[in-house]
Amino acid sequence: MARYLFLRLLWILPVALGVVTAVFFLIHLIPGDPIDLMLGETAGVADRVHLRESLHLDEPILKQYGHFILRLATGDLGESFSMKKPVMDILLSRYPATLLLAISAMIIAIALAIPLGIFSGLKKGGIGDQTILLGSLFGVSMPNFCLGPLLIILFSLQLNWLPVSGKEGVLSLILPALTLGIGMAAILIRMTRASVLDTMEKTFMVTARAKGLPERVVIFKHLFRNSLIPLITVLGLQFGALLTGSIITETIFSWPGLGRLMIQAIFSRDYPLVQGCVLAVAFTYLLVNLLVDILYVITDPRVRYET
């Protein structure tokens, strides 16, 4: 297990490098000149040339990539074109907000999906099962850019219960977390239901009931735990979806996280900042997948990793 984890950690570096390399070349293909956005189109030629040289934008793209890799090897992500601050400092100031939003959304999704999914699986074909499936279909079909404004209209403008946007306290977190969590919960409900139905057909479930064990013991000790493996897999994959989905949600709710920062960086052609945001998301996603592998072993002792 220790050897496996060590090798997985080593693989994180080339994967993250590949992601950032792809983003580096793609961001340079976006139409527009960052010099025009920084100085304006009426700036003098001498000022434009001087700024372009200081940012190494006058060099061939492969040479710019070389400068980027050398800085990255020393832990230097460069300086933001638009904010005039080190990219690392900007990321460290925004990353906690995105992580808080993603974890809150996941907690909401788990709290909704697991009990509803188990109930739906146990009551297959009943009215409750059909109602839950219909609700999950609505959650899957409703994109964040529609659900977010609807929640704002209902809870902020009509009921005046929650803030419209910003990050001013716990109440400001509720609407964006719900926007992300409801969509994720809808997917998890269906996965939980399918996993429960599959587990109920296993021989050990029949044996547990034949022993005369109370139903709550059968459900929580045997059914629930043995249904966790596929759920953990989906949770790991969906956490990456939360990070990418937060781009839209953070923009809607003016949440000061990495997602909103990335949109601003793209619009301002801030190459170092875009690359830094993507690198932070990629590292987080890779570490979460490593954590999922560890949870496999904790949840099911039969799982073993051999290298």
Side-chain angles (χ1 to χ4, degrees):
M1 181 65 179
R3 178 179 171 81
Y4 172 81
L5 293 177
F6 176 73
L7 292 175
R8 280 294 304 270
L9 287 172
L10 287 182
W11 270 108
I12 286 179
L13 296 179
V15 171
L17 179 61
V19 171
V20 174
T21 298
V23 172
F24 177 89
F25 288 102
L26 288 174
I27 192 67
H28 281 77
L29 295 177
I30 297 178
D33 189 350
I35 302 299
D36 291 338
L37 296 173
M38 295 168 69
L39 296 179
E41 297 182 359
T42 59
V45 175
D47 294 333
R48 294 165 61 86
V49 171
H50 175 71
L51 182 58
R52 193 179 299 276
E53 290 177 351
S54 65
L55 297 176
H56 301 288
L57 294 177
D58 61 323
E59 299 174 352
I61 188 170
L62 290 179
K63 192 172 182 179
Q64 293 182 46
Y65 176 71
H67 289 309
F68 167 68
I69 293 299
L70 289 176
R71 290 198 308 268
L72 189 61
T74 62
D76 181 12
L77 296 177
E79 184 177 276
S80 168
F81 292 169
S82 57
M83 298 185 180
K84 304 298 182 183
K85 295 179 181 178
V87 171
M88 182 62 74
D89 293 345
I90 299 173
L91 294 180
L92 290 176
S93 66
R94 296 293 191 96
Y95 185 80
T98 293
L99 195 60
L100 174 64
L101 178 58
I103 292 175
S104 300
M106 181 168 285
I107 291 173
I108 290 173
I110 292 173
L112 289 174
I114 290 182
L116 291 178
I118 292 176
F119 176 83
S120 181
L122 293 174
K123 304 296 182 181
K124 179 183 176 183
I127 296 177
D129 178 34
Q130 298 300 320
T131 303
I132 291 172
L133 287 178
L134 182 62
S136 66
L137 179 62
F138 170 80
V140 171
S141 305
M142 180 67 70
N144 292 346
F145 59 82
C146 290
L147 181 59
L150 288 176
L151 293 178
I152 290 175
I153 292 173
L154 176 60
F155 292 104
S156 298
L157 302 182
Q158 297 293 330
L159 301 176
N160 198 27
W161 287 355
L162 300 170
V164 175
S165 61
K167 183 176 179 289
E168 301 175 357
V170 177
L171 293 180
S172 302
L173 177 63
I174 295 176
L175 289 185
L178 277 175
T179 302
L180 286 174
I182 288 175
M184 183 178 179
I187 297 173
L188 288 178
I189 285 173
R190 291 176 170 268
M191 287 299 302
T192 304
R193 179 181 183 273
S195 183
V196 166
L197 291 176
D198 179 66
T199 304
M200 287 177 63
E201 297 178 356
K202 303 295 184 182
T203 305
F204 63 83
M205 289 294 296
V206 178
T207 304
R209 286 197 168 98
K211 288 180 178 179
L213 294 177
E215 188 66 15
R216 65 178 183 276
V217 175
V218 174
I219 291 174
F220 290 104
K221 185 176 180 179
H222 298 279
L223 177 65
F224 175 63
R225 184 167 183 177
N226 287 280
S227 301
L228 280 180
I229 291 292
L231 295 182
I232 291 174
T233 304
V234 175
L235 281 172
L237 296 174
Q238 286 298 308
F239 192 83
L242 286 179
L243 293 175
T244 54
S246 66
I247 294 176
I248 297 174
T249 304
E250 288 182 6
T251 302
I252 293 173
F253 291 96
S254 298
W255 187 260
L258 286 182
R260 188 177 174 215
L261 180 66
M262 190 182 300
I263 292 293
Q264 295 170 347
I266 292 173
F267 281 136
S268 61
R269 307 296 189 273
D270 195 334
Y271 301 155
L273 192 54
V274 172
Q275 291 156 188
C277 290
V278 172
L279 185 62
V281 172
F283 259 110
T284 304
Y285 188 55
L286 291 170
L287 290 175
V288 167
N289 277 273
L290 179 61
L291 177 62
V292 167
D293 288 342
I294 297 174
L295 288 176
Y296 285 158
V297 178
I298 296 174
T299 304
D300 190 346
R302 295 172 299 176
V303 176
R304 289 293 180 266
Y305 295 113
E306 301 293 340
T307 57

